[in-house]
Amino acid sequence: MLVEGPQAVRELTAHRPFAVRDVYVREDAWETHADVVDVARRATRWVHPVTAEVSAALSGDSQGICAVASLDALSRELPEPSVGETIVVLAQGRDPGNVGTIIRTADAFGAVGVVAVAGTVDAASPKVVRSSAGSVFHIPVCVVPSFADARALIHGRSAALLGTSGGAASISLSDLLVQVVSARSRLSQSHAWVFGNEARGLSGDEMRLCDGLVSIPMTGDAESLNVASAAATCLFASQTVRGVEH
Amino acid sequence: MLVEGPQAVRELTAHRPFAVRDVYVREDAWETHADVVDVARRATRWVHPVTAEVSAALSGDSQGICAVASLDALSRELPEPSVGETIVVLAQGRDPGNVGTIIRTADAFGAVGVVAVAGTVDAASPKVVRSSAGSVFHIPVCVVPSFADARALIHGRSAALLGTSGGAASISLSDLLVQVVSARSRLSQSHAWVFGNEARGLSGDEMRLCDGLVSIPMTGDAESLNVASAAATCLFASQTVRGVEH
């Protein structure tokens, strides 16, 4: 897999040194990104200076530094279940920018891993890696063949599957969050947030397979949130609830 | 200004009908987007069917429907100040996708408007309009020459300027949110969230001009959040606090 840009290469070489094959550094980037080059040289002896032409041919969006890694740079297995854990399920996420941003946010807010239903853009794709800012090298992204398989995996961890939906039957995320101070919220238990397709959201079938539907209340005029913004909101709420002492 | 895609054209024609000049609909999109065409025809008689070639020449990213609007489609004035209002300040946002997504989120979570410091990508640019999903036609985006002017404007509304920062001196957003149930939080008062440049965040000067710095706690390995994800988190917290009865 191709890993582009100083941030992604830094995270690859620092967190998955065994998977690094080659690192290519444009001559003028050798000094600009000296810290990244240092980490890369600890991971591999195959750090190559290249001309601007070669660098541009390797990647159009690398800021002068890119790497080739074996696919085991990505962890594909969730860790052992833990009490009160948060997981992300991606159902048919098609936009690499959104998928990468959600992986970055899941990592930032302490989710234990991401479950990607087949059809979701691959975590190894260069645009996902880049927009994840290297978080694909921090948390596991496990691929399952179908939404039903994702559900079985989540239930096998004694976690609840929470879909996001604007529908009337949903619980409000704000209520879940505010309630937690005085009472136990569903977010205190192990749970997985399901995020659907950017344009269409979750399908009716996917919603029926969820254990609960949560709406993100919106007091303004926008019809909906960007899916990565919705994910940031939900995952921040989960982290906040995990941090509250009972 | 050019407005591309069914969602942005729908919001333009529904919310700013006076600003619509011409709407161009690819022949095969006339039926697919019949609802948008209906709204457009109520706004103007200049709804033109065009061939696939003309449509592609007008816009490479319109899904068959685009519009030309006068610049007064964008409101540039904040409304009269209101008690406990939330505002967004964009300091040097360069990526149109992020800027548009933040405007969409500000709209969704009930912010009264956006203040863009000169140097921030223009709200009228087609990519900002598209990634805002039409929210640029819902809430005002007011441009000011400098960060100091943004500060004066916010202070003139008796609002506090809150910068986002990972620094040690910051208050935690989770604490502000959880405290609000039992005590008054700074988020209960009028406030403006300041979001900095995607790559560098807020400058030292910008931080010094803020009345408070707030950190978004992160329990995972990611170094930072995408700026639009950070905005979603802060604006959701503000909306949640506004909804809590005291």
Side-chain angles (χ1 to χ4, degrees), chain B residues 176 179-189 246:
Chain B
L176 283 184
Q179 280 164 13
V180 80
V181 178
S182 48
R184 287 194 79 77
S185 158
R186 193 150 206 175
L187 301 185
S188 322
Q189 294 144 33
H246 285 284

Side-chain angles (χ1 to χ4, degrees), chain B residues 36-157:
Chain B
V36 184
V37 172
D38 271 356
V39 180
R41 291 179 110 170
R42 282 197 287 275
T44 177
R45 56 198 187 99
W46 305 110
V47 180
H48 317 283
V50 294
T51 61
E53 289 70 29
V54 170
S55 176
L58 282 164
S59 161
D61 203 355
S62 74
Q63 299 167 257
I65 184 161
C66 68
V68 173
S70 58
L71 278 174
D72 61 355
L74 299 181
S75 164
R76 297 299 197 174
E77 301 270 335
L78 298 186
E80 289 297 304
S82 54
V83 176
E85 69 186 7
T86 305
I87 305 165
V88 167
V89 174
L90 295 176
Q92 310 300 329
R94 296 281 198 260
D95 179 82
N98 281 334
V99 168
T101 303
I102 294 174
I103 294 171
R104 178 179 180 181
T105 306
D107 178 26
F109 288 147
V112 299
V114 174
V115 178
V117 176
T120 295
V121 61
D122 186 19
S125 93
K127 279 193 170 178
V128 173
V129 173
R130 208 170 51 240
S131 55
S132 85
S135 282
V136 289
F137 306 122
H138 300 165
I139 66 168
V141 179
C142 154
V143 180
V144 295
S146 72
F147 192 79
D149 292 303
R151 179 175 189 255
L153 189 157
I154 297 302
H155 283 175
R157 302 174 73 90

Side-chain angles (χ1 to χ4, degrees), chain A residues 18 33 37 44-45 54 62 73 93-94 116 120 123 137 175 189 193-194 201-203 209 213 219 224 233-234 242:
Chain A
F18 55 84
H33 301 307
V37 173
T44 176
R45 57 199 187 98
V54 171
S62 74
R94 297 279 199 258
T120 295
F137 306 123
D175 289 348
Q189 293 143 32
W193 285 110
V194 188
L202 293 176
S203 70
L209 286 169
L213 295 176
T219 54
S224 65
T233 307
C234 294
R242 284 200 308 275

